[in-house]
Amino acid sequence: TYTVTASIEADNYVLTGVVSDEFNIQKATPSVVDHTFEQYWSERLEDVSLDTMVAKDPTSNTVLAGTFTWNEPTTVFETVGDNQTFLATFTPTDVNNYEVIDNVEFKVDVNRIETTVRYEGLSDLVYAPSKVVEVTPIVNHNEATPVVKILYGENEEPVSNLTNAGSYKVTVTIVETEHYTAYNGETFTVEVEKAIPSTNFNQAKVVKWSDNLKLKDITLNPGYTWDNPNTDLDNIETKSYSVTFTPTDTVNYKTVSGMVSVTVNKADATVTANDLYTFTYKGRGYTVSDLAGITTNHSESEVIIDKVLLNADTYLVTITLPESTHYNEATTTTTVVINKASEPAPDKLTGSYGDELGE
């Protein structure tokens, strides 16, 4: 408020009085630029920053310096909805020329909180008997119950939990609630690995050689098979061959490969002969070829005897079938009797035409 006094002083005029009056210059009321805030349910009004709000001179439209503050900053957004009104106060820096506005209205759109879901215990899963893995979504609220849909395997069989090894497709949905958004989760895959079964490849095999012997002729423990069953076993040796174990439950257990040792030993040879051989001394002696009826089970080697059968006598003879590539040595014994000759053989015999030689 200003008091203005006016007077006139001049040589040619008589002063008749003084004029005085009051002038009032009112404070200007700032104008506030409208603004709508986006916030979430359960937040507080004090969480909403007013630092970017603007007040202007009503005449020049220039931006005024000053501060905005919420009238009730601890107010909680308890209701979801748009265009909710809350009051603030604008205090200009130049309080001499501008009014303080204590009823500034700002709009706030209060939104639902986004529903989020996470999972635990669904990685690095390996099958184990009687182990059941449940899919339990961990949600950031409890206003609605998650709906879990699980499909198992290529046939997408509906199941309630994870029990067998294999691939599972999991989808979780949650309806919209008063304070939280709906959740329509993308389908994700959970893998349960097959378990590795306990195996025993320490089952060394020892066999005797035989003609056309193959790996398939050697029996393995149940569940084990030769990878190359038609492999010929022609050599006398110890060697390892690849074997695969296939579990009965192939859904939940892996097949396992390993090596099994096979030792092929020489086969047993046999040699048989008559118990007794009787000959008459003839001066030149007898050899193994004279011992009729000797039999063997192979021809890789030829029989020999340990005696010289020359003179009249009784001999205990060992007949040997020597060791060969695939057979062990075999022996047997027999008795050979060489009787003395009764008389020298005649140089010349006579007979009549038509007689038999024995006559």
Side-chain angles (χ1 to χ4, degrees):
T1 299
Y2 296 85
T3 300
V4 179
T5 301
S7 62
I8 299 174
E9 294 182 1
D11 294 338
N12 298 319
Y13 293 88
V14 177
L15 180 61
T16 58
V18 176
V19 179
S20 179
D21 201 354
E22 289 185 353
F23 293 88
N24 290 320
I25 300 178
Q26 300 294 327
K27 293 181 180 181
T29 301
S31 62
V32 177
V33 178
D34 291 338
H35 185 79
T36 300
F37 296 94
E38 293 280 342
Q39 299 299 129
Y40 292 97
W41 172 80
S42 77
E43 291 181 334
R44 299 163 69 92
L45 197 58
E46 62 188 354
D47 299 326
V48 182
S49 174
L50 295 172
D51 292 346
T52 59
M53 297 302 96
V54 175
K56 296 183 177 181
D57 182 284
T59 301
S60 66
N61 207 35
T62 56
V63 176
L64 299 177
T67 56
F68 286 90
T69 55
W70 291 111
N71 291 0
E72 298 180 3
T74 59
T75 299
V76 176
F77 301 135
E78 295 181 345
T79 305
V80 172
D82 295 338
N83 295 318
Q84 299 185 40
T85 300
F86 296 91
L87 298 179
T89 296
F90 173 69
T91 303
T93 302
D94 183 2
V95 294
N96 292 323
N97 293 309
Y98 294 94
E99 296 284 0
V100 173
I101 308 174
D102 59 6
N103 59 349
V104 179
E105 292 186 354
F106 285 113
K107 300 293 185 182
V108 178
D109 290 344
V110 179
N111 300 315
R112 289 177 173 83
I113 297 175
E114 181 182 3
T115 296
T116 60
V117 176
R118 63 185 179 89
Y119 307 88
E120 292 181 354
L122 296 183
S123 60
D124 301 324
L125 296 176
V126 178
Y127 170 81
S130 303
K131 179 181 179 180
V132 176
V133 178
E134 296 182 352
V135 178
T136 305
I138 301 173
V139 187
N140 62 334
H141 68 85
N142 57 4
E143 290 189 1
T145 301
V147 177
V148 181
K149 179 181 179 182
I150 306 175
L151 301 177
Y152 172 62
E154 294 181 355
N155 296 328
E156 297 190 346
E157 174 191 356
V159 295
S160 58
N161 46 48
L162 283 56
T163 54
N164 293 320
S167 181
Y168 295 82
K169 294 180 180 178
V170 180
T171 305
V172 175
T173 57
I174 303 174
V175 298
E176 181 180 86
T177 67
E178 182 180 0
H179 302 122
Y180 290 87
T181 61
Y183 181 85
N184 296 305
E186 294 183 359
T187 298
F188 64 95
T189 301
V190 177
E191 297 288 345
V192 178
E193 292 292 329
K194 293 182 180 182
I196 299 176
S198 176
T199 55
N200 177 24
F201 291 96
N202 185 23
Q203 45 180 300
K205 303 297 180 179
V206 178
V207 296
K208 291 183 178 181
W209 181 90
S210 63
D211 195 22
N212 295 321
L213 179 65
K214 299 181 183 297
L215 277 177
K216 65 182 179 181
D217 300 321
I218 302 174
T219 301
L220 292 167
N221 294 349
Y224 295 82
T225 55
W226 299 108
D227 291 347
N228 300 290
N230 290 318
T231 299
D232 290 320
L233 302 177
D234 195 48
N235 297 322
I236 306 301
E237 63 181 354
T238 298
K239 188 176 180 179
S240 292
Y241 297 90
S242 59
V243 170
T244 296
F245 173 74
T246 303
T248 303
D249 183 0
T250 56
V251 172
N252 295 311
Y253 292 93
K254 296 180 179 180
T255 58
V256 182
S257 296
M259 304 293 287
V260 170
S261 171
V262 176
T263 298
V264 179
N265 291 328
K266 290 184 177 183
D268 292 332
T270 60
V271 57
T272 61
N274 297 335
D275 294 335
L276 176 64
Y277 293 90
T278 303
F279 301 103
T280 300
Y281 175 78
K282 59 181 179 179
R284 63 171 177 82
Y286 293 90
T287 66
V288 69
S289 61
D290 295 311
L291 304 181
I294 296 178
T295 61
T296 64
N297 64 339
H298 72 84
S299 59
E300 289 188 0
S301 59
E302 296 183 358
V303 293
I304 59 175
I305 58 177
D306 65 339
K307 298 289 192 303
V308 176
L309 306 176
L310 177 59
N311 298 315
D313 203 347
T314 298
Y315 299 87
L316 181 61
V317 178
T318 298
I319 303 172
T320 300
L321 182 62
E323 182 179 5
S324 64
T325 302
H326 298 118
Y327 290 89
N328 292 314
E329 179 185 282
T331 62
T332 189
T333 59
T334 187
T335 301
V336 176
V337 176
I338 301 178
N339 295 317
K340 294 179 180 181
S342 59
E343 59 184 25
D347 294 331
K348 181 179 179 180
L349 295 176
T350 62
S352 301
Y353 175 77
D355 290 343
E356 291 184 0
L357 185 60
E359 298 174 350

